[in-house]
Structures are given as C-alpha cells and as structure tokens.
Amino acid sequence: MKRIGVLTSGGDAPGMNAAVRAVVRTAVANEIEVFGVHKGYRGLIDGGIERMDARSVSGIIHHGGTILRTARCPAFMEPPGRALAAEQLSRRGIEGLVVIGGDGSYRGAHALAQEHNIACVGLPGTIDNDIGGTEYTIGFDTALNTAVQAIDRLRDTAASHGRIFFVELMGRHSGYIAMYSGLAGGAEEMLVPERPTDINALIAELRSERERGKTSMIVVVAEGDDAGSAYTIAQKVAAASEFKDTRVAVIGHLQRGGVPSAFDRVLAARMGVAGVEALLRGTSDVMVAFENNGIQTRPIADAWETQNNFDPDLFRVARLLRV
Ligand code: ADP
Ligand code: F6P
C-alpha cells in the first residue's frame, strides 16, 4: 500500500486531532503518502481530498474539534454515493482509509470496504463511549471531565441555596458520561438510558435523602433518558411532590469541545499508529479497540454487534455511597 486517506466523521470529539496527527505521522514514518479528506464522507464524494505531510499536523495535538472538519452525509448511506467516493479514491491511487468516528461512520466504512474493496480501518472517536468492542473511545475522558467540572460548580450553588439541581449531560443512547460524572461528582441520582426511570421511585429516593440530612442534591440526567429531558423530569417531580424549588442546567455541546485530556491524546496516539499499521499489514474492515490496557484490532462489525454497556456494579457502588 502506497497511499492512504484519513477522515473524521459524525460528531466531533476532543482528541480527534491527536488521532489525525498520529495517522499522518505514522504514514510519513513508513514512507507512504497520506491524504486528508475534508468533512467526512461529504469530502470523499465531492473530492475534498488533500495531500498531507508531517508539518500539516503540527500544533494540533492540544486542540479540540477536528482540523479535517466533520459532517453527516446522507448520500453516503446509499450505494451510488459510495460508488462516487470509491471513484474519487481510486482516481488518486488511494487504497486504504482510516475513518475516525462513531458506529454510524463505521457502518459506512464497512459498506465501502465490502462494495469497493477499499481497505478501511475505524478508530473510535466519540464522546459517548458507546462503541462496542472497545472499552474507551477517543473524546470520552475529556467530555467526562468537562461534565464533572460542571457538576462541581453546580454543587456550590446547590449547597448554598439548599436546592435540587437536575443536570442534563450528553448521551442520546448512552449513559456513560452521566454515570461516570455522577460517580465522580458525588451526584445523588444518575438517570441513564441503560436503566428505566421511575419518577415515583426517584421522588421516594430524594425524600429519603432529605430525611437523612441532605439539604441539596444533584440529579444527573443523560439526554437520552426514557423519562425525558432534565426539564421534563424536573417538572414531573415538581408536579408529584413537595420538591418545587428545583433548577435545571443543560450542559450540552460544552462537553464536545475543549482541550483534549492527556488520556485522550495518548489513546489517540496509540490508536492512530495501530490503524495505519493495520492497513500496512493488509488488514481491512477492522476497528482499533482499547482492551485490558492494550490496543487491538477487531472486526469492524463488533462495533454494532456487541454491547458496550457499563458494568451494572457501578449502580451498586453509587447506591452505597449516597447513604
Ligand atoms: P457517528 O459516526 O458519530 O455514529 P452518524 O451516525 O451520524 O455518526 O454517522 C456519520 C455518517 O456515517 C453518516 O452521516 C453517514 O454518512 C455514514 N453512515 C452512517 N450510517 C451508515 C450506514 N448504515 N451505511 C453507510 N453509511 C453510514
Ligand atoms: O454522539 C455524540 C453526541 O454528542 C451525542 O451525545 C449527542 O446526542 C449528539 O452527538 C448531538 O449531536 P449534534 O451535535 O448533531 O446535535
């Protein structure tokens, strides 16, 4: 393999730049040409493809977002869109592609590999940590720490006024950020999509905590919780209980940006190197995964065929510690 491409796709995540840097520099170190694709699969279809070198990725390791930009591209979900993308690659002699994104982006890479014999490798880049087959995704640790900072700040004001705060964190289908930040921030309750929420049970818990002497409380809500948004849940609680004076904070996209943590940068470096080395070994249709403190490659379909739900023991730990 003499030429490879790299793109970022789906929601951006802090550490994606560090991953692009690792891919580009591993390619250069192995004397193969590397091309950056702009705006994910959109750029693949439109030909937004540019040669990169070691200096193209200077000074980006500590920046959030992605210098390659990202996009959601409905056209790539259909075979004609992928045929156009494959043509753009073969016109330039690009035989391999590193796709940094979530499981939707992986599905696209899988289809491209299957239909057009382009060697594709996925690197997990999403703040949600919801990709099967890997214990951590690039961006999760940074987003988690941003969420914990928000909880810490809200705790100050909640304690001063003796209020209940409902804090909504990202995760449409995944409660990872909510569960981990709730544990790290000492939240009283964590409501996540992985476990059904019962409003009456929540009220009973809050009441019991108040009776145990807690004057303020933090309820963390993942945006994808089955009982609704943090605003909806706060309203439901107020309507059915004495807890009327509550406040809601939606942290939202603040969790997506910012300086990537050291953990995310190291993960991105290791995964970027592993992704290019997988292509050089002739491997295709694989994802790079973090497992037992090591970096592995696995079939890309593991991303959606296996579950990456957190250990239910975390619920037990949280319950014990809010005594
Ligand atoms: P993420 O990669 O973060 O999960 P999305 O689910 O939005 O984000 O997917 C990003 C892009 O990947 C989509 O806009 C589309 O171009 C491509 N994609 C997603 N699902 C598929 C699919 N089933 N087949 C082909 N391409 C897909
Ligand atoms: O997948 C990452 C994520 O941040 C989710 O947690 C969130 O639901 C979604 O992206 C938001 O997407 P958008 O930036 O398109 O609003």
Side-chain angles (χ1 to χ4, degrees):
M1 185 164 298
K2 289 278 166 242
R3 291 181 171 182
I4 65 166
V6 56
L7 61 81
T8 51
S9 170
D12 60 288
M16 277 185 165
N17 280 328
V20 170
R21 171 182 179 271
V23 167
V24 169
R25 292 198 172 168
T26 308
V28 171
N30 282 280
E31 297 178 350
I32 59 171
E33 290 182 30
V34 57
F35 292 78
V37 181
H38 296 267
K39 298 192 189 170
Y41 292 126
R42 182 79 264 156
L44 215 48
I45 292 175
D46 297 344
I49 302 173
E50 267 176 20
R51 179 82 195 272
M52 297 180 88
D53 61 27
R55 296 286 77 75
S56 324
V57 290
S58 295
I60 65 168
I61 196 168
H62 57 304
H63 290 304
T66 161
I67 59 158
L68 291 178
R69 310 272 306 272
T70 186
R72 295 199 164 93
C73 177
F76 197 78
M77 300 187 68
E78 307 301 330
R82 294 194 290 274
L84 283 172
E87 200 183 302
Q88 293 281 10
L89 289 171
S90 61
R91 197 185 295 163
R92 291 168 176 82
I94 300 172
E95 300 161 283
L97 189 64
V98 177
V99 171
I100 307 168
D103 71 322
S105 304
Y106 278 19
R107 285 174 198 265
H110 180 60
L112 190 68
Q114 298 284 313
E115 292 165 4
H116 298 284
N117 201 28
I118 308 278
C120 289
V121 172
L123 306 192
T126 166
I127 64 165
D128 291 344
N129 207 32
D130 62 347
I131 299 185
T134 184
E135 289 165 11
Y136 287 104
T137 58
I138 298 163
F140 167 63
D141 182 66
T142 307
L144 167 63
N145 279 286
T146 303
V148 174
Q149 271 190 25
I151 293 172
D152 290 347
R153 285 161 193 251
L154 293 167
R155 175 75 75 183
D156 290 344
T157 177
S160 302
H161 285 266
R163 278 176 175 150
I164 300 179
F165 261 83
F166 292 83
V167 187
E168 184 176 304
L169 299 172
M170 271 189 163
R172 204 173 285 160
H173 308 290
S174 162
Y176 255 98
I177 294 176
M179 191 70 200
Y180 272 59
S181 65
L183 270 172
E188 277 64 31
E189 305 289 336
M190 283 83 101
L191 311 180
V192 291
E194 286 82 353
R195 197 175 61 165
T197 294
D198 176 334
I199 296 292
N200 290 327
L202 173 64
I203 292 170
E205 286 294 345
L206 295 174
R207 211 168 266 150
S208 150
E209 279 160 331
R210 186 141 282 180
E211 281 160 10
R212 296 201 304 275
K214 296 196 175 202
T215 51
S216 68
M217 285 175 266
I218 302 276
V219 180
V220 168
V221 182
E223 69 175 314
D225 190 74
D226 64 315
S229 69
Y231 277 107
T232 305
I233 292 173
Q235 277 162 7
K236 287 180 181 171
V237 167
S241 76
E242 67 279 23
F243 300 116
K244 313 282 183 201
D245 186 27
T246 62
R247 292 291 184 275
V248 175
V250 179
I251 312 305
H253 285 79
L254 286 172
Q255 293 155 95
R256 281 258 287 271
V259 174
S261 67
F263 181 89
D264 276 331
R265 298 186 210 183
V266 173
L267 187 65
R270 295 176 79 186
M271 287 185 158
V273 169
V276 175
E277 287 178 348
L279 287 175
L280 292 175
R281 278 198 306 275
T283 319
S284 176
D285 215 12
V286 295
M287 61 178 278
V288 177
F290 181 88
E291 205 181 337
N292 296 328
N293 210 26
I295 303 292
Q296 330 275 345
T297 52
R298 316 169 62 106
I300 203 163
D302 282 6
W304 56 89
E305 285 174 0
T306 62
Q307 286 278 320
N308 183 22
N309 283 338
F310 40 75
D311 184 345
D313 193 51
L314 293 175
F315 287 115
R316 190 183 68 85
V317 170
R319 202 179 166 77
L320 271 173
L321 298 185
R322 71 179 177 217
V323 65

